[in-house]
Amino acid sequence: MDIRVSGHQMDTGDALRTHVGDRMNAIADKYFARAISAHVTFGRAPHDAIDCDIVAHVMQGVVMKGHGRAREAHAAFEAAAERVEKQLRRYMGRLKDRHVGSNGAATRALNIDDIPGDAGYTVFDGTEESDDVGDAPVVVAETRVDIPEAAVADAVMMLDLRDTNALLFRNAQTGAHNMVYRRRDGTIGWVEPARG
């Protein structure tokens, strides 16, 4: 697995690089035989803290991201690595559950036609709701909504007006479905599908 460690406005020592390499290889070996790459970035955060961001390409088209913040670089990395490992555990569990259910019978994929027209908080998991979501959080359909056609600037305005974390819209210029979302640092992210 190709692992890159970099520091933004800080130096990463050999001990930290070795620790990151060993931990990321252990995670990759546990879940995937052929993980592609990972990029671990350390940077200064407010109040003398250190941020750690991990972007791991575990297989073609599957990207896991984790973020951690702590007073020390090792602790920040461990927090981010735990998030990535939890995502991988959930992903692998879903891959297994897709083919065989808990009772050994083949499961049927959720079809959009199965969702009621007035889906107001319909739970699509047979388990009861609880505070502990474990490795498989409950999927909830809040409501059906129309996907607006808008320019990116107008979509950002709608995101603010609706006071939501994300907005799926049809780009008026390209005709493709795009998404704008509010990032953790308060800026707005824009996701556009690859062309071609």
Side-chain angles (χ1 to χ4, degrees), residues 11 23 25 29 47 53 55 77 81 85 87-88 107 114 118 132-133 140 152 167 173 180 185-187 194:
D11 186 32
R23 178 83 159 98
N25 279 320
D29 291 343
H47 309 293
D53 291 301
V55 178
F77 168 72
E85 190 168 17
Q87 290 173 0
L88 285 169
T107 58
D114 296 338
D118 54 345
D132 181 24
V133 295
V140 177
V152 177
L167 175 73
Q173 290 180 321
V180 289
D185 61 0
T187 60

Side-chain angles (χ1 to χ4, degrees), residues 162-173:
R162 294 180 181 185
D163 194 24
T164 61
N165 292 329
L167 175 73
L168 179 67
F169 68 100
R170 187 166 182 222
N171 192 321
Q173 290 180 321

Side-chain angles (χ1 to χ4, degrees), residues 1 25-36 58-59 92:
M1 178 175 180
N25 279 320
I27 291 172
D29 291 343
K30 185 174 181 179
Y31 294 100
F32 289 96
R34 295 181 182 159
I36 300 171
V58 293
M59 60 188 298
M92 294 305 291

